[in-house]
Amino acid sequence: MLYLIWPIAIIVASNTLYNICTKAIPGQANPFASLCVTYLAAAGVSLTLFLLTSPERNLPAALGQLNWASLILGGAITGLEFGYVAAYRAGWPVSLCSLTANIILACVLLLVGVAVYQETVTLRQAAGMAVCGLGLFLISSRG
């Protein structure tokens, strides 16, 4: 069971730090300068972890095994991070921004799973999407 839990724990801990740090980027700072520093730090951490975990430590060979997805992922991550910076600068509270985005994301990915990967939607999942919609309504109505 631990093999299922530890990745989610890393995601939750990292996403918590991610949102705290993103909200803390100074308003006058250029968001893309911040992203440059962010990616340089991420590249350094990733290279260090590659060297620590790869028995061969052959970076060119490891890079040769990649496909287009890594490049597109870089663009997607840039959009994701810029979107959060822009949302926080627009005044989204940290308590609602990620929650709102992730509820919508979960519903979109459920539909992508059906349309692209031929996954089936159970009655329970459909009900979950309805509850997500209700949740979005409830958190968006102030008062």
Side-chain angles (χ1 to χ4, degrees):
M1 186 68 164
L2 184 61
Y3 74 97
L4 292 174
I5 295 172
W6 74 264
I8 299 300
I10 290 174
I11 291 168
V12 170
S14 297
N15 213 335
T16 300
L17 278 173
Y18 169 88
N19 280 279
I20 291 168
C21 292
T22 303
K23 188 157 179 71
I25 294 171
Q28 70 278 10
N30 183 300
F32 296 107
S34 174
L35 290 177
C36 286
V37 172
T38 299
Y39 286 120
L40 287 172
V45 170
S46 295
L47 180 60
T48 300
L49 291 173
F50 170 80
L51 294 172
L52 290 173
T53 62
S54 175
E56 301 85 29
R57 295 188 178 141
N58 185 345
L59 186 58
L63 293 175
Q65 296 173 339
L66 301 177
N67 66 3
W68 58 269
S70 296
L71 292 174
I72 301 299
L73 182 60
I77 291 171
T78 302
L80 172 71
E81 291 175 354
F82 177 69
Y84 272 108
V85 170
Y88 287 135
R89 288 184 177 181
W92 273 89
V94 74
S95 60
L96 294 180
C97 183
S98 183
L99 178 63
T100 302
N102 281 304
I103 289 171
I104 295 168
L105 173 64
C107 293
V108 167
L109 288 177
L110 188 94
L111 297 174
V112 167
V114 170
V116 177
Y117 299 103
Q118 289 75 46
E119 297 173 359
T120 58
V121 177
T122 65
L123 183 58
R124 181 176 289 194
Q125 290 169 320
M129 283 183 72
V131 170
C132 285
L134 176 62
L136 282 174
F137 172 75
L138 291 173
I139 65 174
S140 67
S141 57
R142 307 207 178 204

